[in-house]
Amino acid sequence: MYQNHKYKASKDHRNMQSHMGESTETRANDPSSSSSSSSLCLCFMGSSAADKFSDEPITPIGRFFLQPQMDQIIHCTMGFKNPIDIAAIKSHLKTSLLLSHPRFSSLMVRSPRGLKQWHRTSHVDLNRHIIVVPNTITTASNFDHEAAVNAYLADLSTSSDLSADKPLWEFHLLMAHNCGVFRIHHALGDGASLMSLFSASFRGAEEEEKLPALGSAGKKRNRVNGEKGWWVLLIGFVGMVWFSLIFVVEFALRSLWVCDRKTEISGGDGVELWPRKLATARFKLQDMKLVKKAVPNATINDVLVGVVSAGLSRYLDHRTPNGLPEGLRITGIAMANLREQPRLQELTDLMKSNSGSSWGNKFSTFLLPIYYKKSSGTEPLEYLRRAKVIMDRKKQSLEALFSYKIGCFLMTYLGAKIATWLLYRTVCNTSFAISNILGPQEEIAVGGNPVTYLRVNTSSLPHALTMHMVSYVERADMQISVAKDIIPDPEFLAKCFEEALLDMKEAAHCETND
């Protein structure tokens, strides 16, 4: 349905860049490897009948991420405490649960009917998946390692695809910057699935036989008991129906013509092809936990939404002083985990197809409105209180579940082009995307090398601003990806978010002392 001619040109440009990059990036112990057989392998493997593994169809949500307009690759960056030992990492991966997982040892092939499927292979050549980058990313004499890694990730966001003649993942080792970047196609699974797999595959440095803690399960919502009476159930049901109706209609209108007012952070059609910049906002989980206690029944997600609302208001004040009306709505797309347990799962539970916490892309999206407030005249915790009201209404509704079911229905019965076009329009008509992923709460290690930080970002979207936060061992890092021609100073934006949390922390501390 929708075909952007710029995208075709960009695809050719990406292929050119990937070939040009061979001079600076070397495949581990396999300098002669080539992707020239990609299409042959895709066709021949799809027609192979004599194989002990049966092919599995790609899920409808997975097919979204294989369409040109929404092609998504997850980049998971790991910082290492010690110098990288390539041999130790290869040895670890060979015996890890990661390689034994079906998705990480399967090719994406086409069936005789033309449908994309997963075809299990009997052997994964690690030499083709481990990409060694021996030199520094920048040629400058004085450089910051974090900025250099973020520049590398920004380039990957728009310029490099994964080859189809091997399982759709890679591990880039940036030797000079002492970090690794897992590149994993989103069709393999969502953030919750991948974090659970990482937790099971990369054991802690001190206790090799113990799996890292998966994080607390959190309190389940208590069912209304009989003592509260039928009227409580009735009010809850009416609220669910009302908010679901409002939010579902609004979501449908967003996919057609309703859009945000243009601001200094607005993206749009084709912006996914624009050059990117990345910056990192660093938070302490302890600070976020302290802030959430200042508002009864608030959650870390509420705090994050409040921080984003306050930070964006502060940033827009800087970019356009007195240029926006008070209370202007800025709408984002937020990700919601649809599993029964919204925490990291044991890998065995994820692999059960009949489990409520099954592996794959079991997440959905919902519209997240925030409101511009002049930062100079707004009490910091007011952003959190407003965020909690919005999030409580979203939780009470069925918006996320509806968008998931409708997406599957459209992909199955109307085809990939129409379904992807509607999703693409929704993204174009909103201003940002945000996600929050719970990572391991104990230190993990790859090849015996402790991981000091864990960060996630994805390929570009039509948004000029996307934010992905991951919590790991009492810290939470949020990767901020921007279209640099629209938002030229993501480092300042990251500082706005960090200062917003500190202001909330100070306000919460004052309320506690009072």
Side-chain angles (χ1 to χ4, degrees), residues 45 51 53 105-107 119-124 167:
M45 291 301 294
D51 197 288
F53 301 115
S105 56
S106 297
L107 297 174
H119 178 84
R120 189 82 178 269
T121 63
S122 58
H123 174 69
V124 176

Side-chain angles (χ1 to χ4, degrees), residues 7-241:
Y7 184 84
K8 292 182 179 178
S10 176
K11 278 290 187 180
D12 295 336
H13 177 61
R14 292 178 185 180
N15 293 336
M16 183 186 301
Q17 284 188 326
S18 65
H19 288 297
M20 291 172 65
E22 293 294 334
S23 60
T24 57
E25 298 181 2
T26 58
R27 301 186 185 275
N29 300 329
D30 190 16
S32 62
S33 63
S34 171
S35 61
S36 60
S37 61
S38 173
S39 59
L40 292 177
C41 186
L42 185 67
C43 296
F44 292 154
M45 291 301 294
S47 60
S48 175
D51 197 288
K52 62 180 179 180
F53 301 115
S54 59
D55 292 355
E56 296 182 29
I58 297 176
T59 62
I61 300 301
R63 289 167 60 195
F64 268 116
F65 297 118
L66 295 171
Q67 303 307 309
Q69 299 96 324
M70 302 300 297
D71 189 24
Q72 287 290 290
I73 298 173
I74 300 172
H75 300 139
C76 183
T77 308
M78 299 177 173
F80 294 116
K81 182 178 181 180
N82 304 316
I84 297 174
D85 184 339
I86 299 176
I89 289 178
K90 289 179 64 178
S91 177
H92 188 161
L93 289 178
K94 284 179 180 177
T95 58
S96 71
L97 293 172
L98 187 143
L99 279 194
S100 62
H101 191 283
R103 292 293 174 268
F104 285 77
S105 56
S106 297
L107 297 174
M108 184 186 67
V109 301
R110 287 190 181 275
S111 69
R113 297 173 55 193
L115 300 177
K116 292 181 179 178
Q117 297 178 330
W118 297 116
H119 178 84
R120 189 82 178 269
T121 63
S122 58
H123 174 69
V124 176
D125 185 3
L126 279 180
N127 293 328
R128 300 195 61 216
H129 290 270
I130 297 179
I131 313 298
V132 178
V133 183
N135 301 320
T136 57
I137 304 304
T138 177
T139 57
S141 56
N142 295 324
F143 64 88
D144 177 68
H145 285 286
E146 180 178 289
V149 173
N150 281 340
Y152 185 79
L153 293 169
D155 183 63
L156 288 180
S157 297
T158 57
S159 65
S160 182
D161 294 330
L162 292 170
S163 175
D165 65 348
K166 63 183 181 183
L168 298 179
W169 66 274
E170 293 175 346
F171 193 22
H172 292 216
L173 298 176
L174 280 59
M175 306 299 290
H177 304 287
N178 212 37
C179 80
V181 179
F182 267 103
R183 303 193 70 221
I184 302 167
H185 202 287
H186 215 316
L188 272 65
D190 58 17
S193 295
L194 297 175
M195 284 299 162
S196 294
L197 180 59
F198 285 166
S199 296
S201 301
F202 305 133
R203 304 184 179 188
E206 295 183 357
E207 299 182 61
E208 288 291 329
E209 298 303 318
K210 179 183 176 182
L211 295 182
L214 299 181
S216 59
K219 295 180 180 179
K220 289 185 177 180
R221 295 184 186 179
N222 294 325
R223 295 182 180 273
V224 179
N225 55 45
E227 297 178 358
K228 293 186 177 180
W230 61 268
W231 60 273
V232 177
L233 290 171
L234 179 61
I235 292 175
F237 177 77
V238 170
M240 182 269 291
V241 172

